[in-house]
């Protein structure tokens, strides 16, 4: 187990309701998407040795935990989220010995490592499924098998057991001629859902998790874990849902937060983590409300440490993410407030705008029309996220301000979700035109986040050698010449330098790490402002800052500091410019994406420049 290389919060400061603060209370997590991070052997695909070669970069960034997306053996139908062997490494990434080397190298640098746990489903090439499909008595009900709808022809459209739709488009049921029944797949047909109602399934999962924990990992990020408990009728059937425009019910909505979820998570906690220390569990949680987040992450309930909620990255679309809307920060603030307030007294929040399934936030909500606006908006959005209460998650390249891919043709995409939905919406059901879908993919496809990491300005951005005979598996973003780690490393005004400051504040300032959160000026359409405070707690004398104010103009136009924010800053909201008798100290600006002299001017005049964001200690 690694030794933490930073200060921990004093035990007198309550964080998630535990009597003693967990080690991750002021930690920062960095997600690596292995196939796009670093290629060490010039085959165009990132690998474990490539990750090892870049660990010093992550240590210098200051992150505490690395979250590794799947590197298990897999047919790669969904880029590794379809696992055929949980206890082996896919050859494209390396070997188990490489994984052992990575674990050791991470720990040597004072960091921890968690890996993706994908147990809502397996690959259809997993030995469990192959045996189940063949009718093995031992594995017969390890997956969700159901007969053809009565009076219908097996395998024909409309013969599926119910109307659930796959998240990747089409029916969530696939007919197997070998078994003569349909099996459930929430995602690709090559990703059959495990039947968690079967105790043998759960025990096999727990045994595998213990095997990895014993090997030295520090925990798990649990993929769509809130889908594992399916709703059942009294007769044991899986009920229909409300159909959408494609004729199918959204299976995730129907399955999310099923009746036995708490039971399964508590059982997992006992079977895998009881008696262990220093671990972290975070669950991807489609369909979970803020109130349920509080219950599941309350330490007294012995389930998970934190969850990824999705309301704040789903509201900016009409009907589905393929009909995106411009950013409106008023509902964003309301959603974030509901998530923050729910865990005010117990439980914990995960903080993210980016991951491998989301488009790049600077392209989504920021401004990439110029280099200046890209840099300012990337910093502003990063500051807003990191100053909330919870554990921040950085997705690779976010710390550089990497943008969407900029693809202009369908053949540039590799993501199964994007390609399947194009075939469904454009070719099969005529719900969108080619141009409409290509525009939607350009804004929301998961491939936007999966282009190779931009290490330098060379031909393949330093991800693969410039003279490699094999191009990267996904095209490199052409803006690598303007956005790359090598250039930003030596630029004190870069997005990378700014993220290092954000992480340092999380580590060093207990108010930012654990203080209460209060929204200001919730209806203001340009400025996102809130207060973090530790008043009323048993504070040690070493804690200097008991309150900070966060102010961010999330538009490309100047904005007035709104009244509640002005009052929290100690300013008179109707008396700008500030009376000369008032004190505005540059040292009280903890961080700003503009020069501190500019922030002082904003405080004096009450006007924020485009994308101006800062943290101030009154």
């Amino acid at each position: 187990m690694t030794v933490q290389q930073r200060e921990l919060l004093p035990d007198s400061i309550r964080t998630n309701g535990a009597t003693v603060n967990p080690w991750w209370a002021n930690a920062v997590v960095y997600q690596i998407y292995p196939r796009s991070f670093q290629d060490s052997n010039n085959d165009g695909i990132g690998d474990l040795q490539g990750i090892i070669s870049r660990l010093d970069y992550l240590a210098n960034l200051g992150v505490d935990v690395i979250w590794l997306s799947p590197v298990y053996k897999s047919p790669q139908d969904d880029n590794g989220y379809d696992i055929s062997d949980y206890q082996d490494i896919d050859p494209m990434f390396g070997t188990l010995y490489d994984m052992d080397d990575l674990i050791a190298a991470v720990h040597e640098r004072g960091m921890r490592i968690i890996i993706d746990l994908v147990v809502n489903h397996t690959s259809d090439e997993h030995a469990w499924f192959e045996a189940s499909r063949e009718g093995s008595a031992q594995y017969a009900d390890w997956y969700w098998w159901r007969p053809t709808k009565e009076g219908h022809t097996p395998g024909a459209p409309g013969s599926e057991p119910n109307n659930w739709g796959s998240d990747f488009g089409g029916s969530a049921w696939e007919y197997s001629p070998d078994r003569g029944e349909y099996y459930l797949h929430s995602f690709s047909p090559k990703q059959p859902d495990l039947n968690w109602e079967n105790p043998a399934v759960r025990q096999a999962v727990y045994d595998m998790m213990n095997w990895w924990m014993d090997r030295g990992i520090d925990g798990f990020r649990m993929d769509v874990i809130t889908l594992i408990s399916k709703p059942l009728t009294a007769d044991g059937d899986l009920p229909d849902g409300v159909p959408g425009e494609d004729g199918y019910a959204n299976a995730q909505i129907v399955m999310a937060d099923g009746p036995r979820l708490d039971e399964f998570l508590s059982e997992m906690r006992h079977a895998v983590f009881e008696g262990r220390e220093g671990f972290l569990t975070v669950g991807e949680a489609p369909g979970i409300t803020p109130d349920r987040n509080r219950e599941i992450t309350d330490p007294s309930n012995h389930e998970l440490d934190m969850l990824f909620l999705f309301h704040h990255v789903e509201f900016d679309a009409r009907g589905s993410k393929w009909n995106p809307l411009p950013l409106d920060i008023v509902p964003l603030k309301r959603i974030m407030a509901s998530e923050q307030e729910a865990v005010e007294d117990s439980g914990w929040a995960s903080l993210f705008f980016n991951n491998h399934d989301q488009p790049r936030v600077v392209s989504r909500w920021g401004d990439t029309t110029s280099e200046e606006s890209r840099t300012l908006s990337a910093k502003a959005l990063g500051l807003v996220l990191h100053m909330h209460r919870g554990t921040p998650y950085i997705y690779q390249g976010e710390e550089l301000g990497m943008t969407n891919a900029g693809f202009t043709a369908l053949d540039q995409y590799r993501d199964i979700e994007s390609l399947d939905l194009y075939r469904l919406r454009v070719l099969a059901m005529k719900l969108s035109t080619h141009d409409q879908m290509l525009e939607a993919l350009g804004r929301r496809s998961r491939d936007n986040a999966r282009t190779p990491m931009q290490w330098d300005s060379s031909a393949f951005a330093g991800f693969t050698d410039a003279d490699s005979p094999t191009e990267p598996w996904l095209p490199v973003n052409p803006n690598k010449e303007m956005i790359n780690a090598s250039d930003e490393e030596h630029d004190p005004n870069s997005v990378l330098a700014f993220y290092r400051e954000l992480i340092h504040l999380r580590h060093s300032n207990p108010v930012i790490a654990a203080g209460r959160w209060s929204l200001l000026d919730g209806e203001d359409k340009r400025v996102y402002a809130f207060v973090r405070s530790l008043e009323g707690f048993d504070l040690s004398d070493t804690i200097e800052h008991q309150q900070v104010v966060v102010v961010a103009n999330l538009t490309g136009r100047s904005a007035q500091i709104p009244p509640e924010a002005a009052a929290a800053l100690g300013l008179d909201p109707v008396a700008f410019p500030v009376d000369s008798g008032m004190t505005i100290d540059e040292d009280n600006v903890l961080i700003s994406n503009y020069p501190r002299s500019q922030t002082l001017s904003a405080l004096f005049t009450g006007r924020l420049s485009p994308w101006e964001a800062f943290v101030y200690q009154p």
Side-chain angles (χ1 to χ4, degrees):
M1 188 61 66
T2 184
V3 176
Q4 202 69 44
Q5 300 297 307
R6 60 177 172 78
E7 292 295 320
L8 298 178
L9 293 177
D11 289 344
S12 59
I13 299 175
R14 182 201 59 75
T15 53
N16 70 333
T19 54
V20 176
N21 287 308
W23 62 267
W24 41 257
N26 64 335
V28 178
V29 183
Y30 187 96
Q31 182 190 359
I32 290 176
Y33 195 69
R35 64 167 53 219
S36 296
F37 193 64
Q38 181 65 65
D39 174 16
S40 72
N41 59 1
N42 290 331
D43 65 354
I45 299 172
D47 47 55
L48 295 177
Q49 286 298 326
I51 294 170
I52 292 171
S53 73
R54 295 294 187 178
L55 288 180
D56 287 341
Y57 167 85
L58 298 177
N60 291 333
L61 180 59
V63 299
D64 307 285
V65 185
I66 292 170
W67 152 25
L68 195 66
S69 286
V71 291
Y72 310 95
K73 193 172 182 181
S74 165
Q76 302 296 321
D77 184 62
D78 186 22
N79 287 4
Y81 283 87
D82 50 314
I83 298 168
S84 58
D85 189 340
Y86 287 105
Q87 292 174 240
D88 200 1
I89 301 298
D90 196 281
M92 72 166 57
F93 298 122
T95 68
L96 275 172
Y97 298 111
D98 292 323
M99 186 67 181
D100 290 339
D101 288 345
L102 174 61
I103 294 168
V106 168
H107 289 168
E108 287 169 3
R109 288 164 175 79
M111 299 182 290
R112 289 177 165 88
I113 181 169
I114 63 174
I115 63 175
D116 249 301
L117 180 74
V118 188
V119 290
N120 175 71
H121 48 267
T122 69
S123 166
D124 67 343
E125 297 181 34
H126 196 291
W128 297 345
F129 184 77
E130 290 176 342
S132 185
R133 181 172 52 200
E134 293 166 2
S136 162
Q138 180 180 354
Y139 294 97
D141 61 348
W142 278 46
Y143 296 83
W144 292 96
W145 293 98
R146 290 294 185 270
T148 300
K149 188 178 294 184
E150 188 174 350
H152 289 70
T153 302
S159 300
E160 300 88 357
N162 68 18
N163 70 348
W164 291 2
S166 160
D167 202 56
F168 291 167
S171 174
W173 295 94
E174 184 77 2
Y175 184 70
S176 170
D178 292 338
R179 177 152 166 165
E181 289 184 302
Y182 285 88
Y183 64 86
L184 176 67
H185 58 90
S186 300
F187 300 94
S188 162
K190 289 186 67 63
Q191 293 171 293
D193 282 33
L194 283 164
N195 178 9
W196 273 68
E197 296 292 317
N198 186 335
V201 170
R202 304 200 300 273
Q203 188 58 54
V205 169
Y206 305 153
D207 289 346
M208 174 269 292
M209 293 172 69
N210 274 301
W211 183 86
W212 275 109
M213 293 296 292
D214 292 343
R215 204 169 188 103
I217 67 157
D218 302 292
F220 298 92
R221 176 267 187 188
M222 302 178 183
D223 189 65
V224 293
I225 197 68
T226 53
L227 304 184
I228 59 176
S229 173
K230 316 301 188 192
L232 297 172
T233 67
D235 296 329
D237 293 330
L238 296 166
D240 281 338
V242 179
E245 62 178 354
D246 61 357
Y248 296 106
N250 186 321
Q252 283 203 18
I253 293 177
V254 179
M255 287 188 276
D257 200 11
R260 300 186 67 187
L261 179 63
D262 293 305
E263 174 192 347
F264 292 159
L265 294 178
S266 180
E267 181 182 77
M268 177 192 291
R269 187 81 170 202
H270 173 75
V272 180
F273 301 104
E274 192 169 283
R276 299 186 189 271
E277 296 180 354
F279 61 85
L280 171 64
T281 60
V282 55
E284 185 185 29
I288 296 297
T289 65
D291 285 341
R292 282 290 287 135
N293 178 53
R294 179 187 65 248
E295 294 172 356
I296 293 171
T297 64
D298 184 333
S300 66
N301 291 329
H302 307 287
E303 295 186 43
L304 298 178
D305 297 323
M306 55 189 90
L307 294 175
F308 292 137
L309 304 186
F310 289 98
H311 301 83
H312 68 287
V313 290
E314 293 176 338
F315 77 97
D316 59 338
R318 182 176 55 253
S320 77
K321 74 176 186 179
W322 306 109
N323 297 306
L325 299 171
L327 173 64
D328 182 345
I329 73 166
V330 173
L332 175 63
K333 289 189 284 188
R334 291 173 184 163
I335 294 167
M336 295 295 285
S338 69
E339 294 178 1
Q340 291 281 291
E341 292 164 359
V343 292
E344 184 175 44
D345 295 314
S346 62
W348 197 242
S350 295
L351 307 173
F352 75 96
F353 287 154
N354 292 273
N355 64 32
H356 64 290
D357 287 333
Q358 301 294 328
R360 294 286 183 178
V361 72
V362 71
S363 295
R364 180 179 190 170
W365 292 340
D367 184 349
T368 59
T369 57
S370 72
E371 180 60 11
E372 179 184 29
S373 62
R374 180 194 68 85
T375 299
L376 285 170
S377 60
K379 291 178 180 180
L381 290 163
L383 182 144
V384 165
L385 183 77
H386 280 248
M387 291 303 106
H388 280 76
R389 183 171 175 270
T391 296
Y393 287 73
I394 299 170
Y395 178 70
Q396 63 184 47
E398 176 185 346
E399 77 281 8
L400 305 177
M402 281 180 62
T403 68
N404 278 355
F407 293 162
T408 57
L410 187 64
D411 62 8
Q412 292 176 292
Y413 290 92
R414 304 289 182 269
D415 177 33
I416 183 175
E417 178 194 46
S418 298
L419 298 177
D420 280 0
L421 282 165
Y422 179 91
R423 285 190 287 267
L424 176 71
R425 296 182 66 87
V426 177
L427 302 180
M429 304 193 72
K430 312 297 184 184
L431 297 173
S432 303
T433 67
H434 169 83
D435 289 344
Q436 288 172 335
M437 196 63 192
L438 206 61
E439 180 184 3
L441 292 175
R443 296 173 67 178
R444 291 296 175 91
S445 170
R446 302 190 302 181
D447 276 344
N448 283 306
R450 299 177 180 185
T451 55
M453 180 73 172
Q454 292 165 212
W455 296 107
D456 59 39
S457 60
S458 62
F460 299 133
F463 165 75
T464 294
D465 290 349
D467 58 356
S468 170
T470 305
E471 295 189 2
W473 73 280
L474 194 62
V476 173
N477 195 315
N479 63 21
K480 60 184 170 53
E481 297 179 5
M482 293 186 299
I483 306 171
N484 64 75
S486 179
D487 288 347
E488 294 196 28
E489 182 70 40
H490 305 291
D491 180 359
N493 297 314
S494 66
V495 180
L496 177 61
F498 191 79
Y499 265 71
R500 286 176 176 155
E501 286 189 71
L502 290 175
I503 293 169
H504 174 71
L505 281 174
R506 172 72 44 172
H507 289 167
S508 61
N509 191 312
V511 178
I512 291 169
R516 290 186 179 274
W517 181 95
S518 300
L519 181 64
L520 302 171
D521 302 291
E523 297 304 311
D524 192 279
K525 295 181 179 180
R526 298 188 189 180
V527 178
Y528 195 144
F530 51 89
V531 172
R532 302 294 310 282
S533 60
L534 273 172
E535 287 86 343
F537 289 91
D538 180 17
L539 302 177
S540 87
D541 294 335
T542 62
I543 298 176
E544 300 175 1
H545 313 311
Q546 297 188 22
Q547 178 170 301
V548 299
V549 183
V550 179
V551 178
N553 174 13
L554 296 187
T555 73
R557 297 178 292 172
S558 63
Q560 183 77 24
I561 296 178
E564 292 178 359
L569 290 164
L571 310 175
D572 185 342
V574 296
F576 291 111
V578 170
D579 187 293
S580 59
M582 298 186 69
T583 300
I584 300 176
D585 192 339
E586 183 174 322
D587 291 340
N588 288 359
V589 180
L590 302 186
I591 187 172
S592 176
N593 66 343
Y594 274 81
R596 279 171 167 73
S597 59
Q598 167 66 32
T599 303
L600 295 184
S601 175
L603 291 167
F604 184 77
T605 63
R607 297 296 296 178
L608 298 167
S609 296
W611 294 106
E612 183 167 6
F614 59 83
V615 180
Y616 189 77
Q617 173 207 334

